[in-house]
Amino acid sequence: MADSIMSKAATMEIPINSNGDTGTLPEDDSLEQDLQQVMVSGPNLNETSIVSGGYGGPAGGIIPTRSSNHNTNSSEEVSRGVAVEKLDSVKKWGINTYKCTKQMFSEKFGRGSRTVDLELEAQIDVLRDTKSKYENILRLATGLTDHFQRIVQTQQALGDAFTDLSQKSPELQDEFGYNAETQKLLCKNGEALLGAINFFVSSVNTLVNKTMEDTLMTIKHYENARLEFDAYRSDLEELSLGPRDAAGVVRIEMAQHEYQIHRDKYERLRSDVTIKLKFLEENKVKVMHKQLLLFHNAISAYFAGNQQQLEQTLIQFNVKLKPPGSDKPSWLEEQ
């Protein structure tokens, strides 16, 4: 169609008048329709073509190139590689889970052997028992704080009531005044004691729920590594008792490789647990020495009525008291 249009355009006569001006082209409906058809059915700009030869050359001179196919193939290869990697990971996880479950049941029913480090396991048992007892101390100290907080609030309210009555009862003004001052002093000392107890609770909570918990998490990883190590050790022992043909030798070599990997992991985590237990014990002694001394001195000074000693204890252990009413919500929060 394009060839016919070009031939029409080449053979079309252009009339020229006597003044040398070109005349008006006669309307050619067929040419206009052909041009519209070319525009509609023109080449797709998303596809690139390399043309050899001139316009209107043979069709064999056009070499289509499709870069989108190459990009599609590359993305498909990447997706296929990711899928294979995930499948291989799931396969390894399934094999590892099967071996560990088998080892766990073998140990539970007394048919399998397990690696035991008696000294380390004794230290782990002591840590778990210590954590349980410290959690009990933390629970009791928190309860003491709650109860004493209510006592201080009651003393504050009682002191305010005495002050109000001392102003409205002239005949008992002195008596109400003495009691009001006593309750206000007890309230002030109670707030100081609460500050010391809260500091004690916060430090013990950090020790129990952060430091000890971090060590126990490492112990959990160590115990999982121990189970995996024993599972692959048992697997290697079973294969070593089997036939030594070519396939059997290959399986033994693979089992030996996996055994060595899990043995290294087990020994590394055992070393980590030993180090963490040592540092935890040192940190526990240091923290609790300071906190128990604070607790004892603050309680003794409060119940002895020694306000100066109580204040000195707070300064000695760098305990900062919250300003009165700091725990109450602001008027914006109450809206």
Side-chain angles (χ1 to χ4, degrees):
M1 181 182 294
D3 295 338
S4 62
I5 293 172
M6 294 300 299
S7 61
K8 286 184 180 182
T11 57
M12 185 179 297
E13 294 181 357
I14 302 176
I16 301 176
N17 56 22
S18 58
N19 295 327
D21 298 330
T22 59
T24 302
L25 290 174
E27 295 183 359
D28 191 339
D29 294 338
S30 61
L31 176 60
E32 182 178 358
Q33 292 176 1
D34 291 340
L35 287 173
Q36 290 178 355
Q37 183 67 24
V38 169
M39 295 298 293
V40 172
S41 60
N44 186 355
L45 296 180
N46 293 327
E47 298 180 358
T48 306
S49 300
I50 301 175
V51 181
S52 61
Y55 184 84
I62 300 177
I63 306 173
T65 60
R66 299 178 179 268
S67 59
S68 58
N69 289 342
H70 176 71
N71 295 334
T72 303
N73 293 336
S74 299
S75 61
E76 288 179 355
E77 290 177 359
V78 172
S79 301
R80 190 180 299 109
V82 172
V84 170
E85 183 179 353
K86 289 183 177 180
L87 183 61
D88 185 58
S89 176
V90 171
K91 180 181 178 181
K92 290 181 179 179
W93 174 83
I95 294 174
N96 185 73
T97 303
Y98 167 74
K99 291 181 182 295
C100 292
T101 304
K102 179 182 176 182
Q103 176 67 22
M104 182 176 60
F105 279 105
S106 297
E107 293 176 3
K108 184 174 293 186
F109 292 106
R111 293 197 296 267
S113 61
R114 64 188 299 265
T115 303
V116 179
D117 189 329
L118 295 177
E119 183 180 357
L120 184 58
E121 292 196 3
Q123 294 177 4
I124 293 173
D125 291 339
V126 169
L127 172 59
R128 286 177 172 146
D129 182 63
T130 302
K131 183 174 184 290
S132 176
K133 292 178 179 179
Y134 273 52
E135 286 173 341
N136 185 47
I137 291 176
L138 183 61
R139 183 173 61 255
L140 294 173
T142 303
L144 176 63
T145 303
D146 295 338
H147 291 309
F148 203 77
Q149 177 69 45
R150 287 193 287 270
I151 291 176
V152 171
Q153 291 173 351
T154 303
Q155 289 173 336
Q156 178 69 43
L158 192 58
D160 293 341
F162 284 153
T163 300
D164 182 61
L165 287 172
S166 68
Q167 297 173 357
K168 296 180 180 179
S169 303
E171 66 280 4
L172 296 173
Q173 182 175 8
D174 293 339
E175 289 79 0
F176 278 126
Y178 297 150
N179 281 277
E181 290 298 325
T182 301
Q183 293 301 320
K184 289 180 180 179
L185 179 60
L186 288 173
C187 182
K188 180 180 178 181
N189 293 341
E191 289 176 348
L193 179 60
L194 274 175
I197 297 176
N198 283 328
F199 189 78
F200 173 83
V201 169
S202 175
S203 299
V204 175
N205 180 67
T206 301
L207 177 64
V208 172
N209 293 318
K210 290 186 178 180
T211 310
M212 290 185 178
E213 190 63 33
D214 177 71
T215 303
L216 287 173
M217 183 60 65
T218 305
I219 290 172
K220 182 179 179 181
H221 294 327
Y222 157 74
E223 291 175 341
N224 291 338
R226 197 279 309 163
L227 182 64
E228 291 179 352
F229 166 66
D230 282 337
Y232 282 91
R233 176 183 56 79
S234 299
D235 187 49
L236 178 60
E237 291 174 354
E238 291 178 4
L239 290 175
S240 299
L241 298 175
R244 292 303 183 98
D245 54 2
V249 171
V250 172
R251 285 195 295 268
I252 291 174
E253 290 178 354
M254 294 177 61
Q256 181 70 37
H257 176 70
E258 293 292 334
Y259 163 80
Q260 189 62 42
I261 291 175
H262 289 86
R263 179 183 177 181
D264 294 341
K265 179 181 178 182
Y266 163 73
E267 291 180 348
R268 183 180 69 255
L269 285 171
R270 181 175 61 179
S271 176
D272 292 346
V273 170
T274 302
I275 293 172
K276 283 199 172 186
L277 285 173
K278 179 182 177 182
F279 283 112
L280 174 62
E281 183 65 23
E282 294 175 355
N283 187 44
K284 182 193 71 175
V285 172
K286 180 180 178 180
V287 170
M288 292 307 298
H289 174 77
K290 176 181 178 181
Q291 295 304 317
L292 290 172
L293 188 61
L294 165 66
F295 192 83
H296 172 267
N297 291 350
I299 291 286
S300 300
Y302 174 81
F303 284 101
N306 193 335
Q307 181 182 1
Q308 184 178 0
Q309 183 182 352
L310 180 58
E311 292 176 352
Q312 187 63 34
T313 299
L314 298 183
I315 295 173
Q316 177 185 354
F317 292 95
N318 196 27
V319 178
K320 305 295 183 182
L321 296 179
K322 294 181 180 180
S326 61
D327 294 334
K328 297 180 180 179
S330 65
W331 64 272
L332 286 174
E333 295 174 337
E334 292 177 350
Q335 299 299 321

